[in-house]
């Protein structure tokens, strides 16, 4: 009868040990949980700690005394020396003084104008000229009060109670008043109150009222014969 006489048809199969060992000797699969070392650029295997050869060249005395000393691979390069500027040059730079600023020379006319003393009579004359122009249309009581303030201003000027800046600004104020520059005259009056309130507080009220009333006048009233005569009379009195 054909077939295997030692095994039956329903016996379990037998595995060959040789086949198993042959299979184990073949190519193995890489375990998924094993870390793969990074590839080396030079293709050399991963270095082992403690296996580095000594890079320091033994310090043996050179046979040639004029030859430079041997260099070590682990010695860092020395920085290039930077030449310092000569000390004498720095001292010369520090000792050289800066160039002087140009001096602006003022002309004699400008200096004489800034240092000139305003004339109290000229200032009072222009104030009285404006007051004379206001009398035909402004109440008598108001004009009399303004006249008292102007008289106080004149007395303080002549007694030396007004500083030079106040006297100069009042001279500029009456010039603007004569030229009908009401805004400029009012601006000077405000500056005097802010900067010199102790000197001008007693009489500046009259000057302020005079500026306001003159502004409201008809321009023709500023050049009537009576108003022009007040200027001529004051000028004649000042010359005498």
């Amino acid at each position: 009868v054909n077939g295997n006489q030692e095994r039956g048809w329903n016996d379990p199969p037998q595995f060959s040990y040789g086949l198993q060992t042959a299979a184990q000797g073949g190519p193995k699969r890489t375990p998924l949980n094993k870390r793969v070392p990074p590839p080396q650029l030079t293709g050399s295997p991963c270095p082992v700690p403690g296996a580095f050869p000594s890079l320091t060249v033994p310090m043996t005395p050179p046979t040639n005394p004029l030859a430079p000393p041997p260099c070590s691979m682990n010695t860092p390069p020395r920085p290039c020396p930077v030449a310092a500027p000569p000390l004498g040059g720095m001292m010369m730079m520090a000792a050289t003084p800066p160039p002087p600023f140009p001096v602006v020379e003022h002309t004699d006319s400008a200096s004489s104008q800034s240092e000139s003393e305003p004339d109290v009579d000229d200032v009072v004359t222009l104030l009285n000229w404006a007051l004379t122009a206001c009398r035909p249309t402004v109440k008598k009581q108001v004009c009399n009060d303004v006249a008292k303030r102007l008289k106080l201003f004149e007395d303080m000027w002549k007694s030396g109670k007004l500083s030079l800046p106040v006297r100069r600004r009042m001279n500029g104020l009456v010039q603007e008043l004569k030229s009908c520059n009401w805004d400029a005259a009012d601006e000077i009056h405000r500056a005097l109150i802010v900067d010199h309130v102790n000197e001008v507080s007693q009489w500046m009220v009259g000057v302020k009222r005079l500026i306001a009333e003159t502004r409201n006048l008809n321009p023709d009233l500023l050049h009537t014969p009576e108003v022009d005569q007040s200027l001529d009379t004051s000028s004649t009195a000042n010359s005498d």
Side-chain angles (χ1 to χ4, degrees):
V1 180
N2 295 333
N4 192 353
Q5 302 296 329
E6 298 179 359
R7 294 178 54 84
W9 65 272
N10 58 350
D11 289 339
Q14 292 182 356
F15 298 96
S16 174
Y17 179 78
L19 294 178
Q20 294 182 6
T21 55
Q24 291 178 0
K28 300 181 180 180
R29 298 178 58 185
T30 302
L32 299 179
N33 58 351
K34 183 178 180 180
R35 300 181 61 181
V36 180
Q40 300 296 326
L41 298 178
T42 58
S44 60
C46 181
V48 180
F52 287 103
S54 177
L55 299 179
T56 304
V57 179
M59 299 298 294
T60 57
T63 57
N64 186 6
L66 299 180
C71 299
S72 175
M73 297 182 63
N74 57 356
T75 303
R78 296 181 180 180
C80 297
V82 180
L87 184 59
M90 296 180 63
M91 295 180 62
M92 292 179 60
M93 294 176 61
T96 303
F101 292 99
V103 179
V104 180
E105 297 181 358
H106 299 280
T107 59
D108 296 339
S109 59
S111 59
S112 60
Q113 182 179 1
S114 60
E115 298 176 0
S116 62
E117 172 67 31
D119 189 0
V120 59
D121 295 330
D122 294 339
V123 176
V124 173
T125 297
L126 292 177
L127 291 174
N128 289 328
W129 162 79
L131 179 60
T132 302
C134 293
R135 286 189 179 276
T137 58
V138 181
K139 293 181 180 181
K140 182 179 180 180
Q141 181 179 359
V142 174
C143 292
N144 292 339
D145 182 68
V146 171
K148 291 180 181 180
R149 304 284 183 175
L150 298 182
K151 180 61 177 176
L152 179 60
F153 159 73
E154 181 180 1
D155 294 341
M156 292 183 64
W157 185 314
K158 292 182 178 180
S159 61
K161 296 181 179 180
L162 298 181
S163 61
L164 182 60
V166 173
R167 299 195 297 268
R168 288 177 176 173
R169 289 189 181 186
M170 281 302 300
N171 184 40
L173 187 148
V174 295
Q175 298 299 329
E176 300 294 346
L177 196 65
K178 183 181 179 181
S179 302
C180 301
N181 296 329
W182 319 118
D183 293 336
D186 187 65
E187 187 65 25
I188 296 176
H189 131 264
R190 293 176 185 272
L192 283 169
I193 293 178
V194 173
D195 298 338
H196 307 279
V197 62
N198 295 329
E199 299 182 51
V200 307
S201 59
Q202 299 180 14
W203 47 267
M204 186 55 73
V205 179
V207 177
K208 177 183 178 181
R209 185 63 182 268
L210 185 62
I211 296 174
E213 295 296 342
T214 310
R215 184 199 295 264
N216 296 329
L217 287 179
N218 188 343
D220 296 336
L221 297 178
L222 297 175
H223 301 285
T224 61
E226 184 180 359
V227 173
D228 294 338
Q229 185 179 0
S230 65
L231 287 176
D232 296 338
T233 303
S234 300
S235 301
T236 303
N238 297 336
S239 61
D240 294 341

